[in-house]
C-alpha cells in the first residue's frame, strides 16, 4: 500500500466528518444575507490549514468575503505549488427538489450530497487532505500555498483587486485548481480552456403602475410581453444568437482539435436522456455537441420576474418585468467587448414606448490553457498510478473568472479535479462521490511528491 493509501484507509471516516462540517455552512456569496456564513466558512478553512501544520494563515481583503491565504512549512530550494479553490457556493433553490436538505450533508449510495459537495468545497478539501497526508510523512518536498476565495460564484472581484495590488502572490512553479470534473468515470481530465461569461439584468418598464387588463388592455403596453419579445428577438429558434458582431469574434478551434474531440468516447443519446434528462438537444445543429458546449457562445435566460404568478388569477397588465440573462464567451471574445455588443443589440430591439435598463452583474473572460507543461505531465502520472489512466485534455463550458490572472506570473496552470460529470453542480442534489474524494487525496498527494522530485 502506498503511504497515501494507508492515510486514506486510516482517516477516511474522520475526513468525511470534516468535509460534512464545512458543507453545513451555507456560504452563498451572491446573497448578502449569508455574509456571516461566508466568513465562517473562510475561518473553517483557515483554522483547518493551521491545525494541519501551515505556519502562515491570513485572511486577505477581509472587508468582504475573505480570501484565505496559507503557506505550508518552507521547503527551501524546492518548487512551489499554489492551490486555488473557492469556499463559496451557489444558492440552493429550488429547495423542494432536494432529496435531503442542501446544507445537511448526507451520504447515499456512496455519494455525499450537499450544496458545494463538488463545487468546490469537496474538491478543494481533497487537496487540503492530500497536503495533510504529505505533512504526516515528514518535512514536505514542496512549498505549498493556498489561495481559497469566497467570491468565485459572484465574479471574484475582491481577488482581482487583490492580485492587481499583489501580483507576486501567484508566483509559483505550478498553480493547481480542482474545480472541474473528470471527463467520465475512470477518465480524469485536464482542461485546455474555459468559456467566459457576461451576466446581465434586463429591466423593462412600460407604464407608471400595473393596470387593469380589461380597462386598459388593447391599448396599454405590457412590460412582460415587451420583455419576452425582446428576448425572443435576441436568439432565433435555431439557436443562433442575434447579437451583431458576436460570432465574428469567435476563434474557432482548429480542425485537429475538433477531430480529437470527435474521437472522445461520447453517446449523444446517453448525454441527452441520462445526464440531462431531456428528450432532445437544441442549439446550432451544424456544429458538434462538443463545439456547442465548449467553443461557441451561448445566450441563456435564467429567470424572468414580474407580473402576477401567485395562486389564482389576477387580471393585470404588468408595468415592469425583469430578466436575468447571460452569455458564455469563447476564446477571442472578452467580457468588455461583448458587453458593448449586447448593449447595442438590446437598444436595437427596444420599442420606442418602453424604458429599458441593462445592468451588467458580473462575468469572466474565456481562457485557453497550455496543457504541454511539466506539472500536467506529473499530475497525469499521479492519476495513472492511482486511477490507471492519465489525464485526457478536454475543454469545458463553465467559467472560473480568476484563472487568466493565475498564470500571469508565468506559472503553468493546471485545471483538473475529481468530480464526475453527473455531480449536478449549481442544481438540486449536488453530490460528490466519496471514493472520488479519497482518490483525490491519493492523486494530489502523489502530485505534491512528484513536484518535489520524490
Ligand atoms: N467550478 C465552476 C466552473 C466549472 C465547472 C468549470 C465545471 C468547468 C467545469 C465554477 O464554480 C462556476 O460555476 N463558475 C461560474 C462563474 C460565474 C458565476 C462568474 C459559472 O461558470 O457560472
Ligand atoms: Mn467552482
Ligand atoms: Mn460554481
Amino acid at each position: 500500500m502506498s503511504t497515501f493509501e494507508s492515510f486514506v484507509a486510516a482517516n477516511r471516516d474522520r475526513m468525511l466528518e470534516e468535509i460534512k462540517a464545512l458543507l453545513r455552512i451555507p456560504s452563498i456569496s451572491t446573497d448578502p444575507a449569508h455574509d456571516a456564513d461566508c466568513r465562517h466558512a473562510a475561518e473553517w478553512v483557515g483554522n483547518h490549514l493551521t491545525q494541519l501544520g501551515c505556519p502562515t494563515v491570513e485572511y486577505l481583503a477581509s472587508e468582504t468575503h475573505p480570501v484565505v491565504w496559507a503557506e505550508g512549512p518552507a521547503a527551501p530550494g524546492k518548487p512551489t505549488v499554489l492551490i486555488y479553490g473557492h469556499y463559496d457556493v451557489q444558492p440552493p433553490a429550488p429547495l423542494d427538489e432536494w432529496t435531503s436538505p442542501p446544507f445537511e450533508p448526507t451520504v447515499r449510495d456512496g455519494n455525499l450530497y450537499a450544496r458545494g459537495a463538488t463545487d468546490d468545497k469537496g474538491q478543494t478539501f481533497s487537496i487540503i487532505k492530500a497536503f495533510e497526508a504529505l505533512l504526516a510523512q515528514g518535512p514536505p518536498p514542496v512549498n505549498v500555498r493556498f489561495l481559497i476565495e469566497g467570491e468565485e460564484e459572484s465574479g471574484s472581484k475582491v481577488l482581482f483587486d487583490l492580485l492587481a495590488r499583489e501580483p507576486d502572490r501567484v508566483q509559483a512553479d505550478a498553480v493547481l485548481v480542482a474545480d472541474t470534473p473528470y471527463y467520465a468515470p475512470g477518465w480524469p481530465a485536464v482542461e485546455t480552456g474555459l468559456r467566459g461569461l457576461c451576466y446581465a439584468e434586463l429591466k423593462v418598464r412600460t407604464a407608471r403602475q400595473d393596470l387593469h387588463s380589461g380597462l386598459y388592455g388593447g391599448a396599454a403596453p405590457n412590460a412582460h410581453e415587451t420583455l419576452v419579445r425582446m428576448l425572443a428577438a435576441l436568439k432565433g429558434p435555431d439557436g443562433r444568437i442575434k447579437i451583431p458582431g458576436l460570432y465574428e469574434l469567435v476563434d474557432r478551434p482548429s480542425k485537429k482539435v475538433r477531430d480529437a474531440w470527435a474521437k472522445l468516447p461520447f453517446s449523444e443519446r446517453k448525454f441527452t436522456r441520462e445526464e440531462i434528462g431531456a428528450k432532445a438537444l437544441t442549439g446550432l445543429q451544424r456544429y458538434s455537441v462538443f463545439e456547442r458546449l465548449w467553443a461557441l457562445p451561448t445566450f441563456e435566460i435564467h429567470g424572468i420576474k414580474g407580473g402576477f404568478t401567485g395562486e389564482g388569477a389576477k387580471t393585470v397588465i404588468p408595468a415592469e418585468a425583469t430578466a436575468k440573462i447571460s452569455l458564455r464567451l469563447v476564446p477571442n471574445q472578452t467580457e468588455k467587448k461583448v458587453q458593448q455588443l449586447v448593449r447595442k443589440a438590446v437598444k436595437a430591439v427596444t420599442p420606442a414606448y418602453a424604458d429599458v435598463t441593462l445592468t451588467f452583474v458580473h462575468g469572466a473572460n474565456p481562457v485557453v490553457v497550455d496543457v504541454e507543461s511539466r506539472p500536467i505531465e506529473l499530475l497525469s502520472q499521479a492519476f495513472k498510478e492511482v486511477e490507471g489512466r492519465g489525464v485526457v485534455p478536454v475543454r469545458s463550458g463553465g467559467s472560473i473568472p480568476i484563472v487568466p490572472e493565475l498564470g500571469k506570473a508565468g506559472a503553468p496552470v493546471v485545471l483538473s479535479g475529481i468530480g464526475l460529470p453527473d455531480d449536478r453542480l449549481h442544481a438540486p442534489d449536488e453530490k460528490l462521490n466519496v471514493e472520488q474524494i479519497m482518490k483525490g487525496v491519493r492523486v494530489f498527494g502523489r502530485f505534491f511528491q512528484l513536484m518535489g522530485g520524490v
Side-chain angles (χ1 to χ4, degrees), residues 226-243:
T226 305
L227 177 64
V228 297
R229 282 190 196 285
M230 288 176 66
L231 293 172
L234 292 171
K235 183 171 162 187
D238 58 353
R240 201 178 156 80
I241 304 162
K242 297 196 255 175
I243 295 179

Side-chain angles (χ1 to χ4, degrees), residues 86 90 119 152-153 425-426:
H86 62 96
Q90 289 264 327
D119 185 13
E152 193 275 343
E153 302 289 8
L425 37 167
H426 297 198

Side-chain angles (χ1 to χ4, degrees), residues 12-257:
R12 132 185 233 114
D13 293 347
R14 171 179 63 87
M15 291 195 286
L16 201 52
E17 285 317 305
E18 287 170 354
I19 183 58
K20 280 185 179 172
L22 178 58
L23 290 169
R24 279 191 199 101
I25 308 170
S27 44
I28 306 160
S29 61
T30 52
D31 183 350
H34 287 280
D35 281 359
D37 295 313
C38 289
R39 179 162 305 265
H40 184 181
E43 282 162 5
W44 190 97
V45 172
N47 289 338
H48 209 83
L49 288 166
T50 301
Q51 275 164 29
L52 63 81
C54 289
T56 303
V57 172
E58 291 166 25
Y59 301 96
L60 308 173
S62 59
E63 64 280 2
T64 53
H65 306 327
V67 175
V68 183
W69 172 264
E71 295 174 17
K78 297 291 187 175
T80 298
V81 178
L82 175 68
I83 308 299
Y84 166 81
H86 62 96
Y87 63 76
D88 63 322
V89 301
Q90 289 264 327
L95 286 175
D96 56 356
E97 287 184 25
W98 286 79
T99 308
S100 47
F103 298 108
E104 292 174 28
T106 308
V107 176
R108 285 190 302 276
D109 301 330
N111 290 317
L112 175 59
Y113 289 86
R115 171 58 84 234
T118 193
D119 185 13
D120 185 36
K121 289 172 173 172
Q123 299 219 62
T124 300
F125 179 78
S126 75
I127 303 186
I128 292 176
K129 292 291 112 173
F131 187 49
E132 180 180 318
L134 186 76
L135 291 184
Q137 294 162 36
V142 280
N143 296 285
V144 177
R145 301 190 172 151
F146 291 88
L147 182 67
I148 314 295
E149 68 151 320
E151 292 192 356
E152 193 275 343
E153 302 289 8
S154 52
S156 298
K157 182 171 183 315
V158 62
L159 190 51
F160 275 97
D161 293 348
L162 177 80
L163 294 183
R165 287 195 309 271
E166 305 178 35
D168 288 351
R169 294 266 177 195
V170 295
Q171 215 150 58
D173 297 284
V175 180
L176 174 64
V177 184
D179 196 21
T180 55
Y182 271 33
Y183 175 69
W187 285 67
V190 65
E191 320 292 319
T192 62
L194 297 174
R195 287 196 289 196
L197 184 76
C198 171
Y199 201 109
E201 213 174 271
L202 183 61
K203 187 185 272 183
V204 173
R205 183 153 267 281
T206 50
R208 194 178 50 243
Q209 76 278 303
D210 288 1
L211 300 163
H212 189 295
S213 70
L215 299 184
Y216 300 99
N222 181 312
H224 225 100
E225 178 188 333
T226 305
L227 177 64
V228 297
R229 282 190 196 285
M230 288 176 66
L231 293 172
L234 292 171
K235 183 171 162 187
D238 58 353
R240 201 178 156 80
I241 304 162
K242 297 196 255 175
I243 295 179
L246 187 74
Y247 289 106
E248 282 76 354
L249 292 172
V250 174
D251 190 2
R252 196 175 185 202
S254 67
K255 173 101 173 55
K256 195 170 148 218
V257 167

